[in-house]
Amino acid sequence: MTVHSQGATTSAPQDAPQKSAGRPKVPGTGTGPSHPSPRGDRRSLPSGWAPYLLVLPAVLSLATLLLYPLIKNVILSFQDINKIEFIQRKYPFAGLDNYTQLLGDSDFWTVVLRSFGFTFANVALIMAVGCLIGILLNRLGKWMRLVLSMALVMAWAMPIVASVQVFKWLFDEQFGVMNWVMRSAGFSGYDQHNWFETGFSTLVIITILVVWGSVPFVALNMYAGLTTVGAELYEAARMDGANGWQTFWKVVFPQLKPFFLITTFLEVIWVFKAFTQVYAMNKGGPDRASEILPVFAYVEGQSQFHYGLAAAISVLTILILIIVMSFYFRLILKQEEEQ
């Protein structure tokens, strides 16, 4: 029993509802009718759709910028379009004539072999020099590492056309630095020596340019990977009497094998499709002796006005790269499964 200020008495069972009435009411917990949500009766999308909606803008952009031109290029490769047909806007169907002409052309296979040789030489040098500089970064002190890293980043960030102009000046026939260096070193025959006289020498200069511009990427990634290798592994290798090469091959390489696979994969793609360096250096000359497949396709299309043939060259280039990369991609997937 409880006594109110007015003197009336109430029983305990009647007191419980009064206490509950004094507590704040939580929305949605009562038994009464629920209030409608501000959104009305609109339902939200299933949660499984969210990832697809997020990537939809990127997919549409890629389809517009890459897929549509690729399809148009494939269609063009089956047409016989030269300068006259292009002016008259006639697009005669040629079937497989462009492909049979290319596959039976010795010049095409010469360019294919040159492209593979150019890619192999560049990737091998990039990986070797980049790994060595990455190891050097890992062993340098703080300030020297900072200076070298800044130099690598500046070389990496330099525009390709600007770097090509610098290299053309270095190897200039009349005012080039390299001719002056060779004469100063006592070598004869370097008075106005033409470094771009042959296709091989031109490709050598382009290789130096490509390696110079690509090494920073490998070196910085190599240094980042080395920071993940525990110091106790190096200590164990030293206690076992391993030298520097054995330490790298037995300790560093197994730990950074995914890095080597992915980086080599990317470098093969980037070097194989190199266009700006080769064309800007000497336009594939002299006498088209330094052309690789992308430059070969461009010259056939823009200089020789064989648009259908150029499209077929680009399609074959993509197919060759896909076939070569498929074996390497299987190796990467196998490595991931082993881990």
Side-chain angles (χ1 to χ4, degrees), residues 45-60:
L45 292 173
S47 59
W49 286 52
Y52 300 101
L53 292 176
L54 292 175
V55 302
L56 182 60
V59 173
L60 293 177

Side-chain angles (χ1 to χ4, degrees), residues 309-329:
L309 192 65
I313 296 171
S314 63
V315 172
L316 289 177
T317 302
I318 295 173
L319 291 177
I320 291 173
L321 190 58
I322 290 175
I323 293 173
V324 173
M325 287 292 95
S326 63
F327 296 100
Y328 201 80
F329 196 67

Side-chain angles (χ1 to χ4, degrees), residues 295-313:
V295 179
F296 184 59
Y298 180 83
V299 172
E300 285 293 330
Q302 299 299 321
S303 298
Q304 305 297 322
F305 306 106
H306 300 154
Y307 301 107
L309 192 65
I313 296 171

Side-chain angles (χ1 to χ4, degrees), residues 20 23-32 35:
S20 62
R23 291 196 297 265
K25 186 178 292 184
V26 180
T29 58
T31 58
H35 295 285

Side-chain angles (χ1 to χ4, degrees), residues 62-78 99 311 314-316 318-319 322:
L62 289 175
T64 304
L65 299 176
L66 296 179
L67 184 60
Y68 176 75
L70 178 62
I71 294 174
K72 292 290 291 184
N73 189 68
V74 173
I75 296 174
L76 180 60
S77 67
F78 293 101
Y99 292 96
S314 63
V315 172
L316 289 177
I318 295 173
L319 291 177
I322 290 175

Side-chain angles (χ1 to χ4, degrees), residues 226-243:
L226 289 173
T227 57
T228 64
V229 180
E232 63 276 3
L233 297 177
Y234 293 107
E235 185 65 25
R238 283 193 294 267
M239 292 179 63
D240 291 338
N243 55 28

Side-chain angles (χ1 to χ4, degrees), residues 17 73 115 140 144 164 242:
N73 189 68
S115 300
L140 286 175
M144 288 301 299
V164 169

